[in-house]
Amino acid sequence: MTKENILSNLEYNVLVQFRGGPITQLDGPTEMIQHLVDANLLRVTETEYIGDLSIRDIQWELTVEGAIALIQAEERAAQEEQHRAEQEAAKAQHLQERHEDHAREEHYHRSQNRVTIQASIIGAVTGFVLGLIAEHFTGLVSLVSGWFQ
């Protein structure tokens, strides 16, 4: 266990097995179990004598410190997951906003193109009509004056 009281994944995976109660292991402690006993996260609850001078640990259980360390690790994992979910939601929101901005921009350009084409057509038709009127002005004036006589 590190100085910041944060369990590694391996430490967590070993400790979580003890949440249900003591565990008996007939082959003696592994290095990780001994490390957790040394860190006061597990305690030996049963030993057996081998010969006259040798003692072997055969059962361990979670200490209060071990249970607290498990809870803290799970809370930290939940906070990290929540933070990751918030980041993903913010990223999705940003992508959605970019998509909407792009759609608005595309709509604006299409409407601008439409207005440009319409203005060109109206300008051309107006120029053509005014050109006809200017060219045939005298004939049109005599035609209109002929109606009023």
Side-chain angles (χ1 to χ4, degrees):
M1 194 163 82
T2 63
K3 288 183 181 179
E4 298 89 30
N5 209 17
I6 297 174
L7 294 176
S8 71
N9 286 339
L10 180 59
E11 291 169 328
Y12 174 81
N13 290 336
V14 172
L15 276 181
V16 79
Q17 297 174 29
F18 291 89
R19 183 172 271 156
I23 293 181
T24 301
Q25 180 179 342
L26 299 176
D27 294 333
T30 63
E31 290 178 10
M32 179 54 70
I33 290 177
Q34 188 58 50
H35 165 72
L36 294 172
V37 168
D38 293 342
N40 198 29
L41 299 175
L42 289 178
R43 76 170 160 247
V44 178
T45 58
E46 190 173 327
T47 58
E48 75 177 357
Y49 292 98
I50 305 172
D52 293 335
L53 302 173
S54 183
I55 297 175
R56 180 173 69 169
D57 300 334
I58 60 169
Q59 189 177 52
W60 303 265
E61 70 180 0
L62 203 55
T63 63
V64 172
E65 291 86 359
I68 290 171
L70 278 176
I71 291 169
Q72 288 173 341
E74 289 165 349
E75 287 173 350
R76 187 184 78 240
Q79 288 172 348
E80 288 173 357
E81 182 60 32
Q82 180 180 2
H83 180 68
R84 207 170 319 151
E86 288 171 355
Q87 285 180 330
E88 288 178 14
K91 184 177 179 180
Q93 177 70 25
H94 177 71
L95 289 174
Q96 179 67 25
E97 289 171 358
R98 280 184 47 196
H99 175 71
E100 290 171 358
D101 289 344
H102 180 71
R104 273 193 294 274
E105 188 176 311
E106 188 174 326
H107 176 72
Y108 173 77
H109 286 298
R110 284 184 181 169
S111 64
Q112 283 299 104
N113 287 343
R114 213 174 304 130
V115 168
T116 303
I117 291 170
Q118 290 171 349
S120 298
I121 291 172
I122 290 172
V125 169
T126 304
F128 177 74
V129 169
L130 290 176
L132 282 176
I133 291 173
E135 192 172 317
H136 301 288
F137 184 72
T138 54
L140 289 172
V141 169
S142 63
L143 177 68
V144 170
S145 64
W147 286 340
F148 292 111
Q149 287 185 2

